[in-house]
Amino acid sequence: MVSNEVRPRTVTVASAALAAFVAVGVADVVVSVVSLGRFADAADAFLASARAAQVADPADVVDVVRESLWFDLGVAALAVVAFAVLAVAIRRPWQAGRVLTWVAAVPFVVVLVCGIAVGLEYAPPSDVSMPVYTLADLGLLPGWHSTARSVLTTLEVVLLAVACFQLTREDSTDFYRSQILGASLGQVAAEQQRRRESEPTG
């Protein structure tokens, strides 16, 4: 059993994984901020271009992309704050920190996966005979945006999975359980008795 005075390696790895997640989350925030910073001009240019006529409901496409960028920014910012706190909290022998990590990680992973699954990558053509353009083709998003988000999202999911797995291991369980159970009165009395017996008699 792991002593309550020593932080096991599994907890240290979990904390490091959450810290790495926070770093990736900051990069995610930067990606969204950069894309939003140029979006107003990009949207105006797209709506004024000839390609807007080749897209079904171009104004709706602009609105959906804008909302998606704000949603991505909000989720990433919230995750950075939440998991930065948890990365520190789980290093302490607080069972609540471990539980909150699981509680926060599961819905966040679901949001990430669903965001990938339903995210708008292509604008619907106004006619089936017309070509299908990506958002980068239309100038609404930078060409690197889709790749960057995919890579960052994959890293975020992996890092959360690593942290949660490490917190389920036996050493982690012993580390947090020892703080809940503590030493019983009988154990304290027995320890005091052992110390008295080990002391030299004068």
Side-chain angles (χ1 to χ4, degrees):
M1 177 176 289
V2 176
S3 167
N4 58 11
E5 300 294 333
V6 179
R7 183 187 308 120
R9 181 175 180 274
T10 53
V11 173
T12 300
V13 171
S15 178
L18 291 184
F21 171 90
V22 170
V24 175
V26 170
D28 204 344
V29 168
V30 171
V31 167
S32 294
V33 168
V34 170
S35 297
L36 275 168
R38 64 178 296 281
F39 186 76
D41 292 338
D44 290 342
F46 161 66
L47 293 174
S49 70
R51 282 192 172 177
Q54 301 179 47
V55 174
D57 302 316
D60 288 344
V61 170
V62 169
D63 289 341
V64 169
V65 176
R66 181 186 293 109
E67 292 172 3
S68 177
L69 288 174
W70 278 110
F71 178 80
D72 292 341
L73 175 59
V75 170
L78 179 62
V80 166
V81 174
F83 288 105
V85 172
L86 290 171
V88 176
I90 62 172
R91 295 176 67 85
R92 303 294 299 166
W94 299 330
Q95 178 74 354
R98 180 169 75 147
V99 173
L100 285 174
T101 299
W102 291 328
V103 170
V106 171
F108 187 73
V109 167
V110 171
V111 168
L112 287 176
V113 173
C114 289
I116 295 174
V118 303
L120 182 65
E121 292 290 336
Y122 299 90
S126 56
D127 186 277
V128 292
S129 63
M130 291 182 176
V132 177
Y133 294 107
T134 67
L135 300 180
D137 292 335
L138 300 176
L140 292 174
L141 294 177
W144 48 263
H145 180 90
S146 179
T147 301
R149 284 306 313 280
S150 296
V151 171
L152 292 173
T153 298
T154 300
L155 288 174
E156 287 168 341
V157 171
V158 169
L159 289 169
L160 284 182
V162 169
C164 290
F165 171 71
Q166 292 297 324
L167 292 177
T168 64
R169 299 183 65 180
E170 183 178 358
D171 285 353
S172 296
T173 300
D174 290 343
F175 176 66
Y176 295 108
R177 180 188 294 133
S178 65
Q179 306 306 308
I180 296 176
L181 298 179
S184 67
L185 292 177
Q187 290 173 320
V188 172
E191 180 63 25
Q192 291 175 342
Q193 180 63 29
R194 281 195 296 271
R195 288 179 180 176
R196 284 195 296 268
E197 291 175 352
S198 63
E199 291 176 356
T201 57

